[in-house]
Amino acid sequence: MEYRIALNFEDGVTRFIQCRDNETVLDAAYRQRINLPMDCSDGVCGTCKGQCERGEFDLGDEYLDEALSDEEAARGQVLTCQMVPASDCVVRIAADSTRCKTGIGEYVGTLASVEALSDDSLELSIDLDAGTELGFLPGQYVNIDIPGENAYRAYSFSSAPGTTRATFLIRNVPDGRMSGYLRERAAPGDRMTLKGPLGSFYLRPVSRPILMLAGGTGLAPMLAMLAQLQAQGSAQPVHLIYGVNRDDHLVKCEALDAFAEALPDFAYTTVVVDEQSTHPRKGYVTHHLAAEMLNDGDVDVYLCGPPPMVDAVLAHFDSLGLEPAGFYYEKFTPKRVEEAA
């Protein structure tokens, strides 16, 4: 029996390792040449302390309270030198990946297709090379190279983890370097390099209702999360509010319809900013947040979109005096990506 362990480092890098039956996470990492923080490896010093964000495990009782208190253990903190997984797990490591002598993974694939979904967005599909296993958590992103330009741009997966074809929603920016390549020069068979996965925006364990708020191509990570929810058979209510600037910018609604059919308690609402729109719901996502979606704060909120939208949602929650039980967001900034939103 082997379990898949996602190690999330402080610099945003995620690396996946395989942990054998009755093997500690620390030993499995070292076996796969990832040097997690450690001093004693005996549960005495606490140097290897991390946070398990998903999964089942056994810590045993052969460690000192000075290394990990009962209160810390109750909050999901672990000693990786003592942690023996009993399922796939996600573990947050309190160190940069470079300190652990690892780094961003690099993967190669072949451009399969580019589809213009609207004048505002493109869908890029890349077939990973045979034998490539690009693990990621739904919601994360990779840096994709622009062939022939020695430049990378960051995009969130819209496809589900574990598939050999990776898909991405990309904003079609008139002067964007990736957009220009995809519009004018891209051809099936082009070789492309992906670096990652990266980011702390990903689907957490589902224990309460979920509210997803997406703006434009910020829909991409939500599609990956919905695919994961479908695969794991989540029974919690999920509502997505998806906002765009114009009617013709609404894309992938057929995919959302399919999720609505497959997930027993999933619904989505579309919103258009343009005042001249014929859409039945106009304005911004904050204008359409019904009280039942917020569930008196007992809700996990996932928010992805351009900076003005993210800032507006944060301000809206402040004005309500509401702090969701879980609040995770990805903001498309110039540093994050030139043309993702």
Side-chain angles (χ1 to χ4, degrees), residues 190-259:
D190 286 358
R191 301 289 283 165
M192 304 188 80
T193 301
L194 294 73
K195 294 185 177 182
L198 295 157
S200 58
F201 182 71
Y202 54 84
L203 183 66
R204 267 59 177 189
V206 180
S207 59
R208 58 180 62 89
I210 292 174
L211 174 62
M212 298 178 172
L213 305 174
T217 53
L219 179 66
M222 308 307 183
L223 293 172
M225 291 181 186
L226 288 168
Q228 180 70 20
L229 290 170
Q230 180 180 343
Q232 68 190 35
S234 173
Q236 288 288 349
V238 181
H239 198 107
L240 165 69
I241 304 180
Y242 167 34
V244 297
N245 289 326
R246 299 197 333 235
D247 289 358
D248 57 348
H249 291 175
L250 287 170
V251 301
K252 304 301 288 185
C253 290
E254 69 285 354
L256 295 176
D257 289 337
F259 284 124

Side-chain angles (χ1 to χ4, degrees), residues 43 47 55 61 71 110 117 126 168 172 189 260 302 333:
T47 302
D61 55 11
E71 292 77 11
T110 300
L117 301 178
I126 299 174
F168 307 88
N172 188 5
Y302 293 88
T333 64

Side-chain angles (χ1 to χ4, degrees), residues 94-116:
D96 285 0
S97 62
T98 52
R99 274 190 56 204
C100 301
K101 297 186 178 179
T102 187
I104 300 175
E106 186 168 308
Y107 308 88
V108 179
T110 300
L111 189 151
S113 65
V114 177
E115 181 182 354

Side-chain angles (χ1 to χ4, degrees), residues 273-321:
V273 173
D274 184 8
E275 293 182 356
Q276 306 304 314
S277 167
T278 59
H279 196 274
R281 290 171 298 278
K282 288 185 276 292
Y284 299 97
V285 296
T286 51
H287 298 156
H288 300 273
L289 283 170
E292 59 268 21
M293 300 177 191
L294 301 175
N295 200 36
D296 293 325
D298 187 26
V299 61
D300 286 338
V301 177
Y302 293 88
L303 165 63
C304 188
M309 174 194 169
V310 173
D311 293 340
V313 172
L314 294 174
H316 183 73
F317 278 114
D318 283 343
S319 71
L320 294 176

Side-chain angles (χ1 to χ4, degrees), residues 45-46 53 81 123-124 131 167-168 266 337:
C45 67
E53 298 186 330
C81 74
E123 183 172 50
L124 168 64
T167 61
F168 307 88
F266 167 67
V337 57

Side-chain angles (χ1 to χ4, degrees), residues 63-76:
Y63 61 87
L64 298 184
D65 187 67
E66 288 80 0
L68 184 73
S69 69
D70 291 342
E71 292 77 11
E72 289 173 323
R75 294 196 300 267

